[in-house]
Amino acid sequence: MIAANTNSTDCLISPAISPALIEGNAKIAAPLKIGILASGSGSNFEVIAQAIQQGQLNAKIPVLIYNNPEAKAVARAEKYGIPSILLNHRDCKSREELDTKIVKTFQEYDVEWVVMAGWMRIVTKVLLDAFPNKVINIHPSLLPSFPGIRAVEQALAAKVKITGCTVHIAHLEVDSGPILMQAAVPVLPDDTPETLHGRIQVQEHKIMLGAIALIADRPPV
Ligand code: GRF
């Protein structure tokens, strides 16, 4: 079980569902099979892979799908012996065509839940209908504030004093859907997009694990 609380004084993690509710179910279900979608660095993907390797999450990652040939997530997958498959959106005529390939691949690998860990593509009904309410997304703001691209820059431009990050179930509208977990991060007077995003990412890694723990510790079906 990943603790939802943190000792850090500069953030507050607020799960929408109390881990205590599922405490009694820990480790009694089969490992949750999570398919990962990543476009870039893949640091969120790696914290999941590491937590699984260390026995902290009752889950496994059968496959990583990436859309950008340069994605650093691929090297991270190799480190953990996780197969990675390139599905390049530039080879597809539509978003639906890309999502159809994604669904087919995840079904081949028997994936149960999908985690968008820095997936920089808008997803369609094709993916969401294949995994109903089983696609999760991480976003670097306190949704519903600042959805869409450049969320950290949006927060700085709005001069908010507190921003943060959100893990949520993905619905069709970009960065919408039921919130699983959030963490607040104060904005400092001299923050740049890079410094603020760096502190947000520290919290992203915690709530990503917390949210997956909520799902992975589900009762057996
Ligand atoms: C994160 O900030 C996430 O919120 C956003 O994309 C970034 C991905 O980071 N959707 P990483 O690739 O996991 O390091």
Side-chain angles (χ1 to χ4, degrees), residues 4 31 38 62 77 85 101 119 125 132 168 173-175 193 216:
I85 293 180
K101 290 181 182 177
W119 182 244
K125 268 173 70 65
H168 65 99
E173 193 181 329
V174 171
D175 299 323

Side-chain angles (χ1 to χ4, degrees), residues 116-186:
M116 297 196 282
W119 182 244
M120 304 308 285
R121 306 296 306 164
I122 293 173
V123 297
T124 69
K125 268 173 70 65
V126 172
L127 177 68
L128 300 182
D129 287 354
F131 296 93
N133 286 314
K134 289 185 173 178
V135 178
I136 73 173
N137 182 44
I138 185 157
H139 184 74
S141 76
L142 289 176
L143 291 172
S145 294
F146 313 127
I149 59 167
R150 304 179 80 79
V152 178
E153 286 84 347
Q154 289 185 55
L156 286 171
K159 301 192 186 311
V160 293
K161 301 298 181 201
I162 295 173
T163 184
C165 45
T166 303
V167 176
H168 65 99
I169 306 280
H171 282 183
L172 204 49
E173 193 181 329
V174 171
D175 299 323
S176 77
I179 289 169
L180 292 172
M181 205 169 273
Q182 292 186 305
V185 176

Side-chain angles (χ1 to χ4, degrees), residues 71-93:
K72 295 200 173 73
V74 177
R76 299 188 199 256
E78 277 167 21
K79 214 163 98 180
Y80 291 89
I82 295 169
S84 53
I85 293 180
L86 173 64
L87 295 179
N88 195 330
H89 60 280
R90 297 170 193 88
D91 299 333
C92 298
K93 290 188 193 70

Side-chain angles (χ1 to χ4, degrees), residues 27-42:
K27 303 278 187 235
I28 59 175
L32 185 75
K33 285 171 264 176
I34 304 168
I36 305 281
L37 293 170
S39 298
S41 157

Side-chain angles (χ1 to χ4, degrees), residues 25 72 106:
N25 293 321
K72 295 200 173 73
F106 279 157

